């Protein structure tokens, strides 16, 4: 028989308890995000939670799980407050607590696990979850960011190259032949999509070993893709308006269709990263092994 020390048994019990609490918090968050019908946030939340879980899992054997009573109580209070706050509000796309809950719940869990002195062990994970809040936070703090005119111009170029006779004046895109058009408001300018994809880019940079030029290029590529995809969406909505198809316009403007474009942007960014950054690195490793 193999003797098991009391400390080892205690650590295993603590790890199991923390794992159970963390799993429950993730389940609560994803459930509420799903109910909010924010497909983009749901997709991004899964990515961020998977990344954080992977990082913690890789270093679980080296973590110092030693928390004092004060830190543990503080961690519990943060988790309870965040859980009550997010549960008491009606799930909606504009609810900033849906994006901030992962950060605060992870902070509380880290305090319970390792105390204030041990927070340094989780700085990467906390930073990743903080970037999930960044898009909504920046939009609230920096409402003056407006790419409407730039988006209108780029959408006009797309429509012109596809053969449409159009006139662009400021944020207005008009079809003179049918006497219809659209106005590009700040909410459709692509600002939020760009900020969101920048968070994904930072997540990508933190997960994979990249050269310095790749770390610089990745956010630029992400922002460019988000802007171009959103401009294509605006051009598509303009076509629907010109053809009098208001149902399709509403679907891609405020319906579920509007949330598919950010998801598509994320997938497109992932494909670009694999093809330009990771694939070559994998091939180099294969050659080295041979």
């Amino acid at each position: 028989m193999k003797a098991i020390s009391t400390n080892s048994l205690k650590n295993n019990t603590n790890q199991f308890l923390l794992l159970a609490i963390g799993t429950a918090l993730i389940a609560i968050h994803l459930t509420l995000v799903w109910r909010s019908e924010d497909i983009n946030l749901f997709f991004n939340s899964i990515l961020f939670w998977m990344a954080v879980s992977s990082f913690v899992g890789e270093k679980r054997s080296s973590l110092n799980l030693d928390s004092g009573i004060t830190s543990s109580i503080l961690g519990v209070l943060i988790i309870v407050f965040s859980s009550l706050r997010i549960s008491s509000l009606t799930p909606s796309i504009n609810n900033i607590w849906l994006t901030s809950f992962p950060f605060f719940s992870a902070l509380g869990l880290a305090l319970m696990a390792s105390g204030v002195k041990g927070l340094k062990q989780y700085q990467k994970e906390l930073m990743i979850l903080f970037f999930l809040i960044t898009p909504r936070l920046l939009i609230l703090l920096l409402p003056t960011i407006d790419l409407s005119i730039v988006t209108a111009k780029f959408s006009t170029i797309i429509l012109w190259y596809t053969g449409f006779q159009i006139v662009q004046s400021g944020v207005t895109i008009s079809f003179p032949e049918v006497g219809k058009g659209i106005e590009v408001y700040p909410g459709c300018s692509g600002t939020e999509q760009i900020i969101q994809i920048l968070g994904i880019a930072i997540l990508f940079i933190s997960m994979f070993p990249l050269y310095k030029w790749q770390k610089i290029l990745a956010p630029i590529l992400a922002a460019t893709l988000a802007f171009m995809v959103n401009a294509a969406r605006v051009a598509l909505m303009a076509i629907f308006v010109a053809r009098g198809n208001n149902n399709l316009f509403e679907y891609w403007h405020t319906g579920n269709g509007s949330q598919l474009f950010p998801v598509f942007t994320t997938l497109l960014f992932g494909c670009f990263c694999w093809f330009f950054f990771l694939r070559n690195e994998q091939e180099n490793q294969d050659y080295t092994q041979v």
Side-chain angles (χ1 to χ4, degrees), residues 102-251:
F103 173 79
F104 287 109
S105 60
L107 177 62
L109 199 61
L111 287 171
M112 291 177 59
S114 303
V116 176
K117 294 182 179 179
L119 284 180
K120 188 177 181 180
Q121 302 174 99
Y122 311 98
Q123 58 183 358
K124 178 186 287 188
E125 292 78 10
L126 292 174
M127 182 190 70
I128 289 174
L129 292 177
F130 179 77
F131 279 107
L132 191 61
I133 316 173
T134 306
R136 305 287 168 87
L137 195 61
L138 287 179
I139 289 172
L140 290 175
L141 298 178
L142 302 173
T144 56
I145 299 178
D146 188 1
L147 300 176
S148 300
I149 294 180
V150 182
T151 301
K153 289 182 178 180
F154 196 82
S155 299
T156 300
I157 293 174
I158 294 175
L159 291 169
W160 184 78
Y161 271 105
T162 51
F164 290 93
Q165 298 297 322
I166 51 172
V167 175
Q168 182 254 329
S169 177
V171 297
T172 303
I173 302 175
S174 305
F175 293 81
E177 294 181 354
V178 295
K180 296 181 179 180
I182 63 170
E183 291 185 4
V184 183
Y185 290 118
C188 292
S189 65
T191 304
E192 183 175 358
Q193 289 83 348
I194 291 174
I195 297 175
Q196 286 177 344
I197 199 65
L198 285 176
I200 300 294
I202 293 172
L203 175 63
F204 170 73
I205 291 172
S206 64
M207 289 187 66
F208 298 99
L210 301 173
Y211 296 108
K212 186 176 181 180
W213 68 269
Q214 292 175 325
K215 293 181 179 180
I216 297 174
L217 182 60
I220 297 175
L221 175 63
T224 303
L225 286 175
F227 175 79
M228 294 177 66
V229 170
N230 182 72
R233 168 176 166 260
V234 172
L236 185 63
M237 290 191 295
I239 294 174
F240 291 146
V241 170
R243 294 181 176 178
N245 198 328
N246 293 327
N247 290 332
L248 281 177
F249 171 78
E250 291 298 331
Y251 177 77

Side-chain angles (χ1 to χ4, degrees), residues 10-24:
K10 182 180 179 181
N11 287 335
N12 290 336
T13 303
N14 290 340
Q15 288 183 13
F16 179 78
L17 179 61
L18 292 170
L19 177 62
I21 295 174
T23 303

